[in-house]
Amino acid sequence: MNCCVWLHRSGRRCAAFLSFPICQSISALPAIQSSLANFPRLSHLCDPYGSAKGLPKSLLSPCSGITDSFFQQKPVFCSSRKTSMQASAPKSDNEPQTSEIAGSAGRRFAVFVTGYASEYAERTYGGYGNMFARLLGDPGEAWDVFLVVEGKFPTEEELAKYEGFVLTGSRHDAHANDSWILQLCTVLQSLHEKRKKMLGVCFGHQVLSRALGGKTGRTEVGWEIGVKNVTLTDAISSKSYGSGLPRILKVLQSHRDQVLELPPGGELLGSSEKTGIEVFAIGEHVLGIQGHPEYTKDVLLDMIDSRCALGIIEEAAANMAKASILAYEDDKEILRNLCKAFLKRQHV
């Protein structure tokens, strides 16, 4: 059977019949993604490893092997950096890209993009803003993406609209003094005073610590990359989002900078063999995680190959990291649920 995909461009609807057979599995979906390469609004919805969850049911005609069970979880529609999914007037350079998920917007969250993902991750998943909105978004929510790495910040009035904020990873150093990093620190200090929920990942984890009075920097242990064990402390069980967690989490990692000292009021929630502060919190409104809940294995494998080719990572270390990724399953769903519970659960 052939697959029919409905495509939208410039407000028009057309049908593209892709000439390849659908078999008894979803293994043909990578071919869909390849065929949709010229349709950036849709191509990122296809998981390159054949997962149908990201592909809206309305885009596929009935075919064997793809059943209703694959679509029980509603997909998250996220715009790319250059394309908005909203049928609205063009946005100015200072306006965020907005993704409304499965209905009218209710709760509102913001993603502060602090650096661009790899070319592969930008092309395949739409970049870090998209990756986090899809990871953490639920029906009825709106997620706005701000390219703070380009100096594009929300105003004070706009900041008040959001229940929570997510800070992404970055190639930049959180301890650097670029103007946008200093401005970001000022914004984070203001949000901290207002007790707004802030989730920082990798660079975001480090810059949160720095902004709130901790210390970050490069360490002598070098790269920590691959699937690594993070041991959680007893303190996490006292958090509203920390119940029922296993003692050890397998987490995708890619960093050589670390949080070296906790900010005032900070609690250590997790550590690993090379990184003393893997997870920290302040109260119920700040959570920093050094690992990458938003990554998939293909993203990290591509990153390792790219950095190895550039001489940033030694070949032996790259091979060990790739071996760990292929040998172990990371606890992505546990991390996703932890992050969502932190952002969205009201603490009494």
Side-chain angles (χ1 to χ4, degrees):
M1 177 179 289
N2 291 331
C3 178
C4 174
V5 180
W6 292 102
L7 306 175
H8 297 257
R9 263 193 170 182
S10 302
R12 297 182 179 180
R13 196 182 206 191
C14 60
F17 292 88
L18 309 181
S19 57
F20 57 87
I22 298 289
C23 302
Q24 296 298 319
S25 70
I26 59 173
S27 60
L29 282 176
I32 298 177
Q33 184 184 22
S34 177
S35 300
L36 293 177
N38 293 323
F39 296 86
R41 284 182 172 179
L42 301 179
S43 59
H44 72 276
L45 297 173
C46 301
D47 185 309
Y49 281 84
S51 170
K53 281 189 176 180
L55 192 62
K57 186 177 180 183
S58 61
L59 297 184
L60 291 174
S61 62
C63 53
S64 61
I66 301 181
T67 63
D68 288 347
S69 63
F70 286 109
F71 303 98
Q72 289 175 353
Q73 180 179 348
K74 293 182 180 180
V76 178
F77 297 90
C78 304
S79 61
S80 68
R81 287 189 292 113
K82 297 181 180 178
T83 308
S84 173
M85 295 296 292
Q86 306 302 308
S88 59
K91 295 181 178 296
S92 71
D93 288 342
N94 291 326
E95 290 184 282
Q97 300 297 326
T98 301
S99 172
E100 291 193 4
I101 303 168
S104 60
R107 307 178 74 175
R108 203 168 199 96
F109 299 88
V111 181
F112 287 172
V113 175
T114 63
Y116 295 115
S118 67
E119 189 276 334
Y120 170 81
E122 291 281 346
R123 183 184 71 247
T124 308
Y125 297 107
Y128 288 140
N130 236 9
M131 291 163 74
F132 274 106
R134 292 188 64 184
L135 179 78
L136 304 175
D138 284 310
E141 297 174 354
W143 286 72
D144 293 342
V145 176
F146 292 89
L147 298 178
V148 299
V149 68
E150 294 184 3
K152 297 176 181 177
F153 288 84
T155 65
E156 283 290 335
E157 182 180 352
E158 289 170 332
L159 286 171
K161 299 188 304 184
Y162 300 106
E163 291 189 35
F165 300 82
V166 177
L167 293 91
T168 73
S170 176
R171 293 188 177 99
H172 297 275
D173 296 327
H175 51 275
N177 291 318
D178 304 60
S179 59
W180 68 269
I181 294 177
L182 298 178
Q183 184 178 357
L184 176 60
C185 287
T186 300
V187 170
L188 298 179
Q189 291 162 4
S190 174
L191 294 175
H192 176 48
E193 291 173 359
K194 296 177 175 65
R195 295 300 187 264
K196 288 282 191 176
K197 292 284 186 82
M198 294 183 285
L199 170 66
V201 170
C202 196
F203 173 97
H205 158 82
Q206 296 161 18
V207 80
L208 259 179
S209 174
R210 175 191 178 177
L212 304 184
K215 182 180 178 181
T216 67
R218 188 149 301 172
T219 65
E220 296 180 358
V221 299
W223 284 96
E224 186 170 38
I225 189 165
V227 176
K228 302 296 180 180
N229 288 337
V230 174
T231 302
L232 301 179
T233 69
D234 293 338
I236 198 169
S237 62
S238 67
K239 299 297 181 183
S240 63
Y241 50 85
S243 62
L245 295 171
R247 180 72 171 174
I248 296 176
L249 294 178
K250 293 190 180 299
V251 181
L252 294 177
Q253 301 264 16
S254 178
H255 69 98
R256 56 180 170 176
D257 293 347
Q258 298 183 17
V259 172
L260 304 176
E261 295 179 9
L262 289 171
E267 296 177 87
L268 177 65
L269 301 185
S271 60
S272 66
E273 181 181 1
K274 287 187 174 183
T275 304
I277 304 174
E278 281 277 359
V279 187
F280 82 92
I282 299 178
E284 289 282 333
H285 67 285
V286 173
L287 179 63
I289 298 175
Q290 180 60 69
H292 286 277
E294 83 284 12
Y295 276 8
T296 48
K297 288 188 173 185
D298 55 307
V299 168
L300 188 50
L301 287 168
D302 171 76
M303 183 180 295
I304 292 169
D305 285 338
S306 298
R307 288 178 175 173
C308 185
L310 293 171
I312 299 173
I313 300 173
E314 294 181 358
E315 185 175 357
N319 289 337
M320 288 181 63
K322 289 193 288 186
S324 72
I325 294 169
L326 297 174
Y328 301 105
E329 289 300 320
D330 59 289
D331 291 315
K332 185 181 183 71
E333 284 304 310
I334 296 176
L335 276 175
R336 179 210 299 262
N337 292 335
L338 187 158
C339 293
K340 290 177 71 172
F342 164 75
L343 281 172
K344 302 176 186 185
R345 185 171 296 167
Q346 298 297 322
H347 181 60
V348 179

PDB file of all heavy atoms in Angstrom, residues 137-166:
ATOM      1  N   GLY A 137       5.607  19.338  26.539  1.00  0.00           N
ATOM      2  CA  GLY A 137       4.307  19.940  26.290  1.00  0.00           C
ATOM      3  C   GLY A 137       3.149  18.978  26.449  1.00  0.00           C
ATOM      4  O   GLY A 137       3.272  17.770  26.237  1.00  0.00           O
ATOM      5  N   ASP A 138       1.994  19.534  26.830  1.00  0.00           N
ATOM      6  CA  ASP A 138       0.744  18.789  26.956  1.00  0.00           C
ATOM      7  C   ASP A 138      -0.359  19.536  26.219  1.00  0.00           C
ATOM      8  O   ASP A 138      -0.244  20.744  25.973  1.00  0.00           O
ATOM      9  CB  ASP A 138       0.363  18.642  28.431  1.00  0.00           C
ATOM     10  CG  ASP A 138       1.201  17.591  29.151  1.00  0.00           C
ATOM     11  OD1 ASP A 138       1.305  16.468  28.626  1.00  0.00           O
ATOM     12  OD2 ASP A 138       1.761  17.904  30.224  1.00  0.00           O
ATOM     13  N   PRO A 139      -1.451  18.830  25.869  1.00  0.00           N
ATOM     14  CA  PRO A 139      -2.565  19.486  25.181  1.00  0.00           C
ATOM     15  C   PRO A 139      -3.080  20.695  25.966  1.00  0.00           C
ATOM     16  O   PRO A 139      -3.153  20.683  27.192  1.00  0.00           O
ATOM     17  CB  PRO A 139      -3.622  18.385  25.107  1.00  0.00           C
ATOM     18  CG  PRO A 139      -2.832  17.122  25.087  1.00  0.00           C
ATOM     19  CD  PRO A 139      -1.673  17.376  25.996  1.00  0.00           C
ATOM     20  N   GLY A 140      -3.409  21.747  25.223  1.00  0.00           N
ATOM     21  CA  GLY A 140      -3.953  22.955  25.827  1.00  0.00           C
ATOM     22  C   GLY A 140      -2.922  23.950  26.287  1.00  0.00           C
ATOM     23  O   GLY A 140      -3.272  24.989  26.861  1.00  0.00           O
ATOM     24  N   GLU A 141      -1.630  23.666  26.040  1.00  0.00           N
ATOM     25  CA  GLU A 141      -0.567  24.573  26.468  1.00  0.00           C
ATOM     26  C   GLU A 141       0.008  25.327  25.277  1.00  0.00           C
ATOM     27  O   GLU A 141      -0.099  24.878  24.134  1.00  0.00           O
ATOM     28  CB  GLU A 141       0.564  23.788  27.140  1.00  0.00           C
ATOM     29  CG  GLU A 141       0.145  23.069  28.403  1.00  0.00           C
ATOM     30  CD  GLU A 141       1.236  22.180  28.962  1.00  0.00           C
ATOM     31  OE1 GLU A 141       2.291  22.026  28.297  1.00  0.00           O
ATOM     32  OE2 GLU A 141       1.022  21.634  30.056  1.00  0.00           O
ATOM     33  N   ALA A 142       0.650  26.444  25.562  1.00  0.00           N
ATOM     34  CA  ALA A 142       1.400  27.180  24.544  1.00  0.00           C
ATOM     35  C   ALA A 142       2.847  27.301  25.019  1.00  0.00           C
ATOM     36  O   ALA A 142       3.106  27.578  26.191  1.00  0.00           O
ATOM     37  CB  ALA A 142       0.804  28.566  24.323  1.00  0.00           C
ATOM     38  N   TRP A 143       3.771  27.064  24.100  1.00  0.00           N
ATOM     39  CA  TRP A 143       5.199  27.156  24.395  1.00  0.00           C
ATOM     40  C   TRP A 143       5.823  28.180  23.473  1.00  0.00           C
ATOM     41  O   TRP A 143       5.754  28.052  22.249  1.00  0.00           O
ATOM     42  CB  TRP A 143       5.862  25.790  24.211  1.00  0.00           C
ATOM     43  CG  TRP A 143       5.538  24.836  25.319  1.00  0.00           C
ATOM     44  CD1 TRP A 143       4.335  24.217  25.548  1.00  0.00           C
ATOM     45  CD2 TRP A 143       6.415  24.407  26.356  1.00  0.00           C
ATOM     46  NE1 TRP A 143       4.409  23.428  26.665  1.00  0.00           N
ATOM     47  CE2 TRP A 143       5.679  23.521  27.188  1.00  0.00           C
ATOM     48  CE3 TRP A 143       7.745  24.676  26.665  1.00  0.00           C
ATOM     49  CZ2 TRP A 143       6.229  22.909  28.304  1.00  0.00           C
ATOM     50  CZ3 TRP A 143       8.307  24.067  27.781  1.00  0.00           C
ATOM     51  CH2 TRP A 143       7.558  23.200  28.587  1.00  0.00           C
ATOM     52  N   ASP A 144       6.414  29.213  24.050  1.00  0.00           N
ATOM     53  CA  ASP A 144       7.068  30.259  23.272  1.00  0.00           C
ATOM     54  C   ASP A 144       8.582  30.064  23.346  1.00  0.00           C
ATOM     55  O   ASP A 144       9.131  29.765  24.401  1.00  0.00           O
ATOM     56  CB  ASP A 144       6.714  31.640  23.803  1.00  0.00           C
ATOM     57  CG  ASP A 144       5.250  31.987  23.593  1.00  0.00           C
ATOM     58  OD1 ASP A 144       4.613  31.322  22.763  1.00  0.00           O
ATOM     59  OD2 ASP A 144       4.753  32.905  24.260  1.00  0.00           O
ATOM     60  N   VAL A 145       9.235  30.240  22.204  1.00  0.00           N
ATOM     61  CA  VAL A 145      10.673  30.025  22.099  1.00  0.00           C
ATOM     62  C   VAL A 145      11.373  31.357  21.875  1.00  0.00           C
ATOM     63  O   VAL A 145      11.064  32.068  20.918  1.00  0.00           O
ATOM     64  CB  VAL A 145      10.993  29.047  20.949  1.00  0.00           C
ATOM     65  CG1 VAL A 145      12.502  28.898  20.767  1.00  0.00           C
ATOM     66  CG2 VAL A 145      10.340  27.696  21.207  1.00  0.00           C
ATOM     67  N   PHE A 146      12.298  31.700  22.760  1.00  0.00           N
ATOM     68  CA  PHE A 146      13.062  32.939  22.657  1.00  0.00           C
ATOM     69  C   PHE A 146      14.526  32.617  22.370  1.00  0.00           C
ATOM     70  O   PHE A 146      15.156  31.856  23.108  1.00  0.00           O
ATOM     71  CB  PHE A 146      12.973  33.738  23.956  1.00  0.00           C
ATOM     72  CG  PHE A 146      11.615  34.301  24.246  1.00  0.00           C
ATOM     73  CD1 PHE A 146      10.690  33.558  24.958  1.00  0.00           C
ATOM     74  CD2 PHE A 146      11.257  35.566  23.807  1.00  0.00           C
ATOM     75  CE1 PHE A 146       9.430  34.065  25.232  1.00  0.00           C
ATOM     76  CE2 PHE A 146      10.005  36.087  24.075  1.00  0.00           C
ATOM     77  CZ  PHE A 146       9.087  35.336  24.788  1.00  0.00           C
ATOM     78  N   LEU A 147      15.064  33.189  21.312  1.00  0.00           N
ATOM     79  CA  LEU A 147      16.465  32.980  20.951  1.00  0.00           C
ATOM     80  C   LEU A 147      17.336  33.935  21.753  1.00  0.00           C
ATOM     81  O   LEU A 147      17.866  34.918  21.238  1.00  0.00           O
ATOM     82  CB  LEU A 147      16.658  33.183  19.450  1.00  0.00           C
ATOM     83  CG  LEU A 147      15.882  32.231  18.534  1.00  0.00           C
ATOM     84  CD1 LEU A 147      16.136  32.575  17.076  1.00  0.00           C
ATOM     85  CD2 LEU A 147      16.260  30.786  18.808  1.00  0.00           C
ATOM     86  N   VAL A 148      17.499  33.635  23.024  1.00  0.00           N
ATOM     87  CA  VAL A 148      18.281  34.535  23.887  1.00  0.00           C
ATOM     88  C   VAL A 148      19.743  34.557  23.461  1.00  0.00           C
ATOM     89  O   VAL A 148      20.448  35.540  23.723  1.00  0.00           O
ATOM     90  CB  VAL A 148      18.142  34.150  25.371  1.00  0.00           C
ATOM     91  CG1 VAL A 148      16.688  34.264  25.816  1.00  0.00           C
ATOM     92  CG2 VAL A 148      18.686  32.768  25.659  1.00  0.00           C
ATOM     93  N   VAL A 149      20.205  33.505  22.787  1.00  0.00           N
ATOM     94  CA  VAL A 149      21.580  33.491  22.276  1.00  0.00           C
ATOM     95  C   VAL A 149      21.804  34.605  21.261  1.00  0.00           C
ATOM     96  O   VAL A 149      22.937  35.027  21.028  1.00  0.00           O
ATOM     97  CB  VAL A 149      21.915  32.109  21.663  1.00  0.00           C
ATOM     98  CG1 VAL A 149      21.101  31.873  20.388  1.00  0.00           C
ATOM     99  CG2 VAL A 149      23.408  31.975  21.386  1.00  0.00           C
ATOM    100  N   GLU A 150      20.727  35.102  20.683  1.00  0.00           N
ATOM    101  CA  GLU A 150      20.798  36.231  19.756  1.00  0.00           C
ATOM    102  C   GLU A 150      20.370  37.534  20.427  1.00  0.00           C
ATOM    103  O   GLU A 150      20.140  38.548  19.761  1.00  0.00           O
ATOM    104  CB  GLU A 150      19.924  35.968  18.532  1.00  0.00           C
ATOM    105  CG  GLU A 150      20.410  34.808  17.665  1.00  0.00           C
ATOM    106  CD  GLU A 150      19.578  34.637  16.409  1.00  0.00           C
ATOM    107  OE1 GLU A 150      18.652  35.456  16.178  1.00  0.00           O
ATOM    108  OE2 GLU A 150      19.837  33.677  15.668  1.00  0.00           O
ATOM    109  N   GLY A 151      20.234  37.504  21.744  1.00  0.00           N
ATOM    110  CA  GLY A 151      19.855  38.705  22.472  1.00  0.00           C
ATOM    111  C   GLY A 151      18.368  39.004  22.433  1.00  0.00           C
ATOM    112  O   GLY A 151      17.956  40.136  22.739  1.00  0.00           O
ATOM    113  N   LYS A 152      17.542  38.021  22.092  1.00  0.00           N
ATOM    114  CA  LYS A 152      16.099  38.231  21.992  1.00  0.00           C
ATOM    115  C   LYS A 152      15.426  37.736  23.267  1.00  0.00           C
ATOM    116  O   LYS A 152      15.196  36.535  23.442  1.00  0.00           O
ATOM    117  CB  LYS A 152      15.551  37.512  20.758  1.00  0.00           C
ATOM    118  CG  LYS A 152      16.132  38.058  19.460  1.00  0.00           C
ATOM    119  CD  LYS A 152      15.664  37.282  18.251  1.00  0.00           C
ATOM    120  CE  LYS A 152      16.284  37.840  16.976  1.00  0.00           C
ATOM    121  NZ  LYS A 152      15.901  37.073  15.765  1.00  0.00           N
ATOM    122  N   PHE A 153      15.115  38.682  24.153  1.00  0.00           N
ATOM    123  CA  PHE A 153      14.538  38.378  25.449  1.00  0.00           C
ATOM    124  C   PHE A 153      13.108  38.914  25.533  1.00  0.00           C
ATOM    125  O   PHE A 153      12.783  39.921  24.895  1.00  0.00           O
ATOM    126  CB  PHE A 153      15.365  39.015  26.563  1.00  0.00           C
ATOM    127  CG  PHE A 153      16.692  38.358  26.799  1.00  0.00           C
ATOM    128  CD1 PHE A 153      17.804  38.693  26.031  1.00  0.00           C
ATOM    129  CD2 PHE A 153      16.834  37.406  27.800  1.00  0.00           C
ATOM    130  CE1 PHE A 153      19.033  38.096  26.260  1.00  0.00           C
ATOM    131  CE2 PHE A 153      18.059  36.798  28.033  1.00  0.00           C
ATOM    132  CZ  PHE A 153      19.161  37.142  27.261  1.00  0.00           C
ATOM    133  N   PRO A 154      12.268  38.263  26.332  1.00  0.00           N
ATOM    134  CA  PRO A 154      10.943  38.842  26.586  1.00  0.00           C
ATOM    135  C   PRO A 154      11.056  40.071  27.473  1.00  0.00           C
ATOM    136  O   PRO A 154      12.024  40.226  28.227  1.00  0.00           O
ATOM    137  CB  PRO A 154      10.199  37.704  27.307  1.00  0.00           C
ATOM    138  CG  PRO A 154      11.271  36.864  27.919  1.00  0.00           C
ATOM    139  CD  PRO A 154      12.458  36.965  27.004  1.00  0.00           C
ATOM    140  N   THR A 155      10.053  40.938  27.391  1.00  0.00           N
ATOM    141  CA  THR A 155       9.998  42.109  28.261  1.00  0.00           C
ATOM    142  C   THR A 155       9.548  41.678  29.655  1.00  0.00           C
ATOM    143  O   THR A 155       9.088  40.549  29.857  1.00  0.00           O
ATOM    144  CB  THR A 155       9.020  43.144  27.704  1.00  0.00           C
ATOM    145  OG1 THR A 155       7.693  42.579  27.727  1.00  0.00           O
ATOM    146  CG2 THR A 155       9.373  43.528  26.267  1.00  0.00           C
ATOM    147  N   GLU A 156       9.656  42.586  30.613  1.00  0.00           N
ATOM    148  CA  GLU A 156       9.185  42.296  31.973  1.00  0.00           C
ATOM    149  C   GLU A 156       7.709  41.941  31.961  1.00  0.00           C
ATOM    150  O   GLU A 156       7.258  41.037  32.673  1.00  0.00           O
ATOM    151  CB  GLU A 156       9.432  43.508  32.882  1.00  0.00           C
ATOM    152  CG  GLU A 156      10.868  43.678  33.334  1.00  0.00           C
ATOM    153  CD  GLU A 156      11.286  42.602  34.335  1.00  0.00           C
ATOM    154  OE1 GLU A 156      10.397  42.049  35.027  1.00  0.00           O
ATOM    155  OE2 GLU A 156      12.484  42.310  34.417  1.00  0.00           O
ATOM    156  N   GLU A 157       6.941  42.659  31.165  1.00  0.00           N
ATOM    157  CA  GLU A 157       5.502  42.385  31.075  1.00  0.00           C
ATOM    158  C   GLU A 157       5.254  40.997  30.489  1.00  0.00           C
ATOM    159  O   GLU A 157       4.365  40.267  30.954  1.00  0.00           O
ATOM    160  CB  GLU A 157       4.829  43.460  30.207  1.00  0.00           C
ATOM    161  CG  GLU A 157       3.319  43.299  30.091  1.00  0.00           C
ATOM    162  CD  GLU A 157       2.687  44.380  29.233  1.00  0.00           C
ATOM    163  OE1 GLU A 157       3.403  45.333  28.856  1.00  0.00           O
ATOM    164  OE2 GLU A 157       1.474  44.272  28.965  1.00  0.00           O
ATOM    165  N   GLU A 158       6.031  40.630  29.481  1.00  0.00           N
ATOM    166  CA  GLU A 158       5.862  39.315  28.871  1.00  0.00           C
ATOM    167  C   GLU A 158       6.280  38.192  29.818  1.00  0.00           C
ATOM    168  O   GLU A 158       5.655  37.126  29.853  1.00  0.00           O
ATOM    169  CB  GLU A 158       6.678  39.230  27.574  1.00  0.00           C
ATOM    170  CG  GLU A 158       6.118  40.078  26.449  1.00  0.00           C
ATOM    171  CD  GLU A 158       7.068  40.178  25.269  1.00  0.00           C
ATOM    172  OE1 GLU A 158       8.302  40.082  25.466  1.00  0.00           O
ATOM    173  OE2 GLU A 158       6.563  40.338  24.136  1.00  0.00           O
ATOM    174  N   LEU A 159       7.317  38.413  30.596  1.00  0.00           N
ATOM    175  CA  LEU A 159       7.782  37.385  31.534  1.00  0.00           C
ATOM    176  C   LEU A 159       6.680  36.978  32.505  1.00  0.00           C
ATOM    177  O   LEU A 159       6.602  35.820  32.917  1.00  0.00           O
ATOM    178  CB  LEU A 159       8.989  37.898  32.317  1.00  0.00           C
ATOM    179  CG  LEU A 159      10.323  37.986  31.567  1.00  0.00           C
ATOM    180  CD1 LEU A 159      11.355  38.716  32.417  1.00  0.00           C
ATOM    181  CD2 LEU A 159      10.831  36.608  31.181  1.00  0.00           C
ATOM    182  N   ALA A 160       5.833  37.915  32.860  1.00  0.00           N
ATOM    183  CA  ALA A 160       4.773  37.647  33.839  1.00  0.00           C
ATOM    184  C   ALA A 160       3.739  36.653  33.312  1.00  0.00           C
ATOM    185  O   ALA A 160       2.993  36.058  34.108  1.00  0.00           O
ATOM    186  CB  ALA A 160       4.099  38.959  34.236  1.00  0.00           C
ATOM    187  N   LYS A 161       3.679  36.461  31.993  1.00  0.00           N
ATOM    188  CA  LYS A 161       2.663  35.582  31.406  1.00  0.00           C
ATOM    189  C   LYS A 161       2.967  34.105  31.620  1.00  0.00           C
ATOM    190  O   LYS A 161       2.076  33.268  31.482  1.00  0.00           O
ATOM    191  CB  LYS A 161       2.560  35.833  29.894  1.00  0.00           C
ATOM    192  CG  LYS A 161       2.150  37.223  29.490  1.00  0.00           C
ATOM    193  CD  LYS A 161       1.897  37.298  27.989  1.00  0.00           C
ATOM    194  CE  LYS A 161       3.075  36.841  27.165  1.00  0.00           C
ATOM    195  NZ  LYS A 161       2.866  37.005  25.715  1.00  0.00           N
ATOM    196  N   TYR A 162       4.220  33.773  31.910  1.00  0.00           N
ATOM    197  CA  TYR A 162       4.638  32.381  31.882  1.00  0.00           C
ATOM    198  C   TYR A 162       4.649  31.742  33.260  1.00  0.00           C
ATOM    199  O   TYR A 162       5.063  32.341  34.243  1.00  0.00           O
ATOM    200  CB  TYR A 162       6.029  32.268  31.250  1.00  0.00           C
ATOM    201  CG  TYR A 162       6.066  32.790  29.834  1.00  0.00           C
ATOM    202  CD1 TYR A 162       6.660  34.011  29.545  1.00  0.00           C
ATOM    203  CD2 TYR A 162       5.479  32.082  28.798  1.00  0.00           C
ATOM    204  CE1 TYR A 162       6.677  34.511  28.252  1.00  0.00           C
ATOM    205  CE2 TYR A 162       5.487  32.571  27.505  1.00  0.00           C
ATOM    206  CZ  TYR A 162       6.091  33.783  27.235  1.00  0.00           C
ATOM    207  OH  TYR A 162       6.099  34.275  25.958  1.00  0.00           O
ATOM    208  N   GLU A 163       4.202  30.485  33.287  1.00  0.00           N
ATOM    209  CA  GLU A 163       4.248  29.712  34.535  1.00  0.00           C
ATOM    210  C   GLU A 163       5.644  29.158  34.792  1.00  0.00           C
ATOM    211  O   GLU A 163       6.033  28.935  35.938  1.00  0.00           O
ATOM    212  CB  GLU A 163       3.261  28.549  34.473  1.00  0.00           C
ATOM    213  CG  GLU A 163       1.810  28.951  34.499  1.00  0.00           C
ATOM    214  CD  GLU A 163       0.915  27.746  34.656  1.00  0.00           C
ATOM    215  OE1 GLU A 163       1.301  26.797  35.367  1.00  0.00           O
ATOM    216  OE2 GLU A 163      -0.177  27.739  34.052  1.00  0.00           O
ATOM    217  N   GLY A 164       6.363  28.869  33.716  1.00  0.00           N
ATOM    218  CA  GLY A 164       7.681  28.281  33.886  1.00  0.00           C
ATOM    219  C   GLY A 164       8.567  28.534  32.693  1.00  0.00           C
ATOM    220  O   GLY A 164       8.096  28.887  31.597  1.00  0.00           O
ATOM    221  N   PHE A 165       9.872  28.332  32.906  1.00  0.00           N
ATOM    222  CA  PHE A 165      10.886  28.607  31.896  1.00  0.00           C
ATOM    223  C   PHE A 165      11.849  27.426  31.806  1.00  0.00           C
ATOM    224  O   PHE A 165      12.207  26.817  32.815  1.00  0.00           O
ATOM    225  CB  PHE A 165      11.660  29.880  32.250  1.00  0.00           C
ATOM    226  CG  PHE A 165      10.802  31.106  32.353  1.00  0.00           C
ATOM    227  CD1 PHE A 165      10.092  31.370  33.528  1.00  0.00           C
ATOM    228  CD2 PHE A 165      10.682  31.986  31.300  1.00  0.00           C
ATOM    229  CE1 PHE A 165       9.292  32.487  33.642  1.00  0.00           C
ATOM    230  CE2 PHE A 165       9.872  33.114  31.393  1.00  0.00           C
ATOM    231  CZ  PHE A 165       9.172  33.363  32.565  1.00  0.00           C
ATOM    232  N   VAL A 166      12.270  27.142  30.571  1.00  0.00           N
ATOM    233  CA  VAL A 166      13.256  26.085  30.331  1.00  0.00           C
ATOM    234  C   VAL A 166      14.468  26.711  29.660  1.00  0.00           C
ATOM    235  O   VAL A 166      14.327  27.455  28.678  1.00  0.00           O
ATOM    236  CB  VAL A 166      12.677  24.967  29.443  1.00  0.00           C
ATOM    237  CG1 VAL A 166      13.742  23.912  29.149  1.00  0.00           C
ATOM    238  CG2 VAL A 166      11.466  24.324  30.102  1.00  0.00           C
TER     239      VAL A 166
END
